Amino acid sequence: MEITCSFPHKLFNLTLLLWVSHLQATDQSFTNFIFGDSLVDVGNNNYLFTLSKADSSPYGIDFIPSNGQPTGRFTNGRTISDIVGEALGAESAPTPYLEPNTEVNTIHSGINYASGSAGIFDDTGLLFIGRVPLREQVSYFEKSRDYMVRMIGENGTKEMLKKSMFTITIGSNDILNYIQPSIPFFSQDKLPIGVLQDSMVFHLTTHLKRLHELGARKFVVVGVGPLGCIPFARALNLIPAGKCSDQVNQIVRGYNMKLRHSLTTLNSELGYHNTTFVYANSYDLFLKLVLSYRQFGLENADKPCCGGYFPPFTCFKGSNQNSSQAACEDRSKFVFWDAYHPTEAANLIVAKALLDGDQTVATPFNIRYLNHL
């Protein structure tokens, strides 16, 4: 009787030992929870009824893990988050939250909650129908946290989250929605620019504080890039080649300045909890890339590699699937993949700067330093 009782007991101890060993091994890898829009979406929108999708060729044409098949990434290859994760030791990119059976990856590599056309405001991207606003992305993380607690307990979850990175890349769509011409039946009275910026910062800060309450301690908050330089905004404002819309960029600069100030305040208020908010200055990085692209070995910062320069800006293969006309031949020489998003080549340049750059690039320090804290 004692023998039959001790066997399950020993088996339970062995199972527990294996699970602890797994967690210790996992602890050495890079875990990232990613929130944001199409710049970092890796396939969540594939599972939504939405007009904002990147699930058809030639999207992903240079993404090696999928053998060039589309994954839902809104570029030809890797996103900045993909590249940063690889550099910091991630064995694989965090899977999209909406993908079936993705919970098992939560503890090992993190989860990606980002959604194309999403914004800080709930109604941003309304014309695209389906998308997951930031508020809902944070709610999804709460569910992921519940799963972690069931698996490794409250204390184990807290310890894991303290070492994990939380990356937030959002705000572009809120500003793009603001600068677009009003559409009948969908238009609302536009806020004064200063009120728009303040409201964006307030709502984003609220969500950051909620993530902190849930256990997040290492934050990378990416500022909005120079939207006045993307092909969509230049076409919308009839800006000639080689120029950017300063009117649009001025809105972005004002928002980024207020966001940076808010993150400095959060570091002061929450720093005693071993919490750090890194501001990633994507604006200056991308602006330099666009204006001085030849210094980086690129040849075109004007036209998108894929899709038109004028409405409807669509990027897809035609009926002839063997046609190479859908995308430029050498994607490594273009800054822009489509009318809105950068190429993998541009993402590589920006990711490397955010990883190892000085305080003009990331404050109070770069992403690699943050990861070692």
Side-chain angles (χ1 to χ4, degrees):
M1 190 70 175
E2 287 182 7
I3 296 174
T4 57
C5 286
S6 62
F7 177 73
H9 180 70
K10 290 178 180 178
L11 184 62
F12 173 78
N13 286 339
L14 178 60
T15 303
L16 184 62
L17 180 64
L18 289 172
W19 178 246
V20 170
S21 300
H22 166 73
L23 288 181
Q24 289 173 340
T26 299
D27 191 48
Q28 305 305 311
S29 64
F30 175 70
T31 305
N32 195 6
F33 295 94
I34 299 170
F35 306 79
D37 53 31
S38 57
L39 291 171
V40 287
D41 187 355
V42 296
N44 279 305
N45 277 26
N46 291 353
Y47 302 94
L48 299 175
F49 179 74
T50 178
L51 300 177
S52 179
K53 283 196 176 188
D55 60 349
S56 60
S57 184
Y59 284 95
I61 190 172
D62 299 307
F63 191 67
I64 295 173
S66 68
N67 294 316
Q69 295 303 306
T71 62
R73 288 167 169 81
F74 288 75
T75 184
N76 60 305
R78 291 169 292 172
T79 67
I80 290 176
S81 292
D82 290 330
I83 297 162
V84 167
E86 288 176 15
L88 296 180
E91 295 179 13
S92 60
T95 51
Y97 176 81
L98 295 179
E99 182 177 292
N101 305 315
T102 196
E103 276 188 331
V104 294
N105 302 308
T106 307
I107 296 171
H108 183 64
S109 59
I111 294 289
N112 186 308
Y113 307 92
S115 172
S117 77
I120 297 170
F121 302 137
D122 285 357
D123 59 354
T124 292
L126 184 65
L127 287 174
F128 292 96
I129 310 174
R131 74 270 181 231
V132 185
L134 182 58
R135 176 187 55 78
E136 198 171 342
Q137 293 180 31
V138 173
S139 295
Y140 284 163
F141 171 71
E142 291 189 54
K143 294 178 181 177
S144 296
R145 191 187 189 284
D146 290 341
Y147 169 82
M148 288 182 255
V149 171
R150 292 197 302 272
M151 292 295 103
I152 59 176
E154 181 66 32
N155 289 337
T157 298
K158 285 181 179 178
E159 287 302 308
M160 197 208 85
L161 293 180
K162 276 189 347 189
K163 299 170 185 175
S164 302
M165 196 167 291
F166 287 74
T167 307
I168 298 91
T169 306
I170 204 159
S172 296
N173 291 319
D174 300 283
I175 294 176
L176 286 175
N177 279 200
Y178 183 83
I179 67 169
Q180 287 180 140
S182 298
I183 299 173
F185 308 111
F186 286 95
S187 61
Q188 297 176 341
D189 292 336
K190 291 192 175 182
L191 300 168
I193 291 172
V195 176
L196 170 78
Q197 295 163 339
D198 291 339
S199 185
M200 286 174 63
V201 171
F202 172 78
H203 283 86
L204 177 54
T205 302
T206 300
H207 295 309
L208 294 176
K209 288 180 177 178
R210 179 60 184 146
L211 287 172
H212 180 266
E213 289 171 0
L214 293 167
R217 293 296 179 266
K218 297 181 180 182
F219 292 85
V220 177
V221 184
V222 183
V224 174
L227 297 177
C229 301
I230 67 173
F232 169 77
R234 293 207 313 270
L236 197 66
N237 293 279
L238 303 177
I239 305 297
K243 304 286 184 180
C244 300
S245 170
D246 192 58
Q247 182 180 7
V248 175
N249 281 348
Q250 195 171 352
I251 298 173
V252 176
R253 286 195 300 270
Y255 165 73
N256 284 339
M257 182 182 68
K258 293 176 178 180
L259 172 61
R260 185 170 179 170
H261 176 75
S262 178
L263 295 178
T264 300
T265 302
L266 285 175
N267 276 324
S268 299
E269 292 176 351
L270 303 175
Y272 61 88
H273 285 303
N274 297 317
T275 300
T276 304
F277 294 85
V278 167
Y279 171 72
N281 184 7
S282 64
Y283 181 92
D284 286 345
L285 285 172
F286 267 110
L287 188 64
K288 183 178 180 182
L289 183 56
V290 170
L291 299 180
S292 308
Y293 58 94
R294 293 193 184 278
Q295 293 181 16
F296 298 92
L298 304 179
E299 296 176 359
N300 195 311
D302 180 38
K303 295 180 179 179
C305 167
C306 184
Y309 188 71
F310 297 101
F313 307 106
T314 50
C315 169
F316 60 86
K317 271 193 176 180
S319 55
N320 180 6
Q321 291 299 308
N322 296 320
S323 172
S324 61
Q325 296 176 359
C328 58
E329 288 292 336
D330 191 350
R331 278 85 62 183
S332 68
K333 299 300 183 183
F334 277 67
V335 172
F336 293 104
W337 164 246
D338 60 17
Y340 303 90
H341 307 99
T343 57
E344 180 184 86
N347 285 338
L348 268 167
I349 293 166
V350 173
K352 288 177 180 178
L354 293 177
L355 274 163
D356 300 308
D358 59 22
Q359 289 192 330
T360 64
V361 172
T363 51
F365 33 69
N366 59 44
I367 294 177
R368 197 181 299 275
Y369 188 91
L370 174 69
N371 186 52
H372 288 152
L373 288 179

